[in-house]
């Protein structure tokens, strides 16, 4: 089951999500970030596959009001890691996670 959380308002800029996968995880993890501008236009998506004990970063450029989602797909409910989200290099959120998660944000200029 995916844990879903609305994390609030996030500013425009280069938004990065980083996942550090625990070395004891059973298999690889998938990290995805997506941004859709409210005024229309093409959505922006980036993804990374992360091996147990590794880390990966994905990013999008969010230049106007929109919706941002960060997804972590973890194969086993007992697997864990640390997820961080930053804007222009400044940490916005960071915390340990267990199993799959989905964080949502409202991007506001």
């Amino acid at each position: 089951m995916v844990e879903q959380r609305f994390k609030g308002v996030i500013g425009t800029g280069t938004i990065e999500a980083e996942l550090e996968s625990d070395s004891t995880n059973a298999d690889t993890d998938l990290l995805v970030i997506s941004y859709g501008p409210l005024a229309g236009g093409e959505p922006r998506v980036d993804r990374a596959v992360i091996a147990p004990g590794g880390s990966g970063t994905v990013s999008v450029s969010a230049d106007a009001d929109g919706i941002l989602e960060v997804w972590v797909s973890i194969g086993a409910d007992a697997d864990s890691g640390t997820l961080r989200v930053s804007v222009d290099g400044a940490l916005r959120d960071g915390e340990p996670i267990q199993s799959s998660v989905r964080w949502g944000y409202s991007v506001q200029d």
Side-chain angles (χ1 to χ4, degrees):
M1 176 155 212
V2 175
E3 177 188 345
Q4 298 183 40
R5 277 201 236 163
F6 177 67
K7 301 293 276 185
V9 174
I10 195 167
T12 57
T14 299
I15 302 174
E16 291 185 340
E18 177 188 16
L19 176 66
E20 291 182 9
S21 177
D22 288 345
S23 61
T24 58
N25 286 358
D27 56 12
T28 59
D29 304 320
L30 176 64
L31 173 63
V32 178
I33 190 169
S34 67
Y35 162 73
L38 291 180
E42 290 295 316
R44 299 166 195 160
V45 178
D46 192 14
R47 69 182 194 95
V49 176
I50 302 153
S55 65
T57 303
V58 293
S59 67
V60 292
S61 176
D63 52 7
D65 293 355
I67 302 295
L68 179 91
E69 292 185 321
V70 176
W71 294 62
V72 178
S73 177
I74 293 179
D77 287 342
D79 286 356
S80 57
T82 301
L83 179 60
R84 294 181 192 89
V85 174
S86 62
V87 180
D88 293 332
L91 183 64
R92 167 64 167 75
D93 290 300
E95 60 190 70
I97 61 168
Q98 183 171 358
S99 191
S100 297
V101 299
R102 178 180 172 192
W103 290 357
Y105 295 87
S106 174
V107 177
Q108 294 185 7
D109 188 18

